[in-house]
Amino acid sequence: MALPVAVEAPVPVADTSPPRQQRYQWVVWPLLSLSLVALGVLAVFKMGGYYYQSPDYVAQDYQQAGRIKQTLLEEKLVPPPPLPPTAFADVQNQMPSLDIAHANRDWSHMNPAFVQTVLRVMVAMRARGFGMVLLEGYRSPERQNALAAQGNHVTQAKGGQSKHQYGLAVDLAPMRNGKVVISERDPWAMQAYQALGEEAQAAGLTWGGNWSFKDYGHIEQTGSLKVLLGKK
């Protein structure tokens, strides 16, 4: 009788390979790392793009600041109160042909936008130590013709040819010790007129001191009458 042969059961061999989850981790983590690196590179390029665009933002901020500044500058100024006739007594005595006593010094008879520009010039002049007063603003055609009839030493413009008739010109003069000073022989007055020319031109106005026929106290809106009247 044959003896039974003992068959040994196979001995389980331990699986030394890493678990499936660990194998996936070896694949996933490198991919995540590469993804993070790619995102970082994109972020750098993106920030770089914003960096190079920053001048546009700076320009926009500058424009916004400019608009705010312009708004402040456009704050409506109020004309000074009229001076008593005695303030112009010396001017009338020195230059009776101008008949300053009957000159129109009513700010409301002039172009409102032009008035605001002139008032800002006067503010700038006061900051420089020169108080300026209005000698004459609007001038009727009749008065213009009367002045022109006295000769070119008074005015070269006839009625309708001067910007005074359209509220776009003024004659200013410095004031010292309560009196208006117009003498061109006065060094202090000439300093004031030179400063007036600088401030008027800085404001975009035309100064009569630059003309061949010198009119140091005269400032007016820049441009030809034809163009200026066409815009109104």
Side-chain angles (χ1 to χ4, degrees):
M1 180 175 182
L3 295 175
V5 178
V7 179
E8 295 183 356
V11 178
V13 179
D15 188 0
T16 59
S17 62
R20 180 178 298 179
Q21 182 178 2
Q22 291 182 358
R23 289 198 300 269
Y24 288 155
Q25 288 179 353
W26 282 105
V27 176
V28 171
W29 283 115
L31 290 177
L32 287 176
S33 300
L34 290 174
S35 300
L36 290 175
V37 171
L39 288 175
V41 172
L42 288 175
V44 169
F45 279 110
K46 199 69 174 177
M47 291 177 65
Y50 285 133
Y51 173 79
Y52 290 112
Q53 293 174 6
S54 62
D56 296 335
Y57 297 129
V58 172
Q60 293 175 7
D61 293 341
Y62 180 80
Q63 292 174 359
Q64 180 67 17
R67 286 192 291 269
I68 295 174
K69 181 179 179 181
Q70 186 64 27
T71 301
L72 294 175
L73 288 176
E74 291 175 355
E75 180 182 358
K76 190 173 182 179
L77 300 177
V78 179
L83 296 174
T86 54
F88 303 92
D90 290 347
V91 176
Q92 182 64 32
N93 294 332
Q94 293 175 22
M95 304 186 69
S97 59
L98 295 181
D99 193 20
I100 291 297
H102 294 93
N104 189 316
R105 287 183 281 276
D106 191 338
W107 291 93
S108 65
H109 290 178
M110 290 184 285
N111 180 282
F114 174 70
V115 167
Q116 289 299 305
T117 305
V118 173
L119 292 177
R120 291 191 184 96
V121 169
M122 294 175 68
V123 169
M125 287 293 293
R126 183 170 294 279
R128 296 179 64 164
F130 301 107
M132 306 297 289
V133 297
L134 177 65
L135 282 182
E136 187 169 12
Y138 170 78
R139 183 184 295 158
S140 68
E142 294 76 19
R143 175 170 165 78
Q144 186 71 40
N145 284 329
L147 293 174
Q150 299 181 39
N152 290 340
H153 66 286
V154 178
T155 181
Q156 297 180 345
K158 296 181 180 180
Q161 298 177 343
S162 170
K163 292 178 182 177
H164 279 286
Q165 277 85 76
Y166 307 95
L168 295 172
V170 295
D171 293 325
L172 303 179
M175 192 169 187
R176 180 177 59 193
N177 300 326
K179 296 292 183 69
V180 177
V181 183
I182 64 169
S183 175
E184 298 173 4
R185 298 179 180 178
D186 188 310
W188 177 85
M190 284 307 299
Q191 289 179 9
Y193 285 133
Q194 291 294 333
L196 175 63
E198 294 172 4
E199 296 299 337
Q201 291 175 104
L205 302 179
T206 297
W207 177 47
N210 285 331
W211 298 341
S212 57
F213 172 75
K214 302 298 182 184
D215 195 352
Y216 293 106
H218 179 97
I219 59 176
E220 65 180 38
Q221 187 67 46
T222 299
S224 67
L225 275 175
K226 181 180 180 179
V227 173
L228 293 173
L229 298 179
K231 292 182 178 180
K232 295 180 66 176

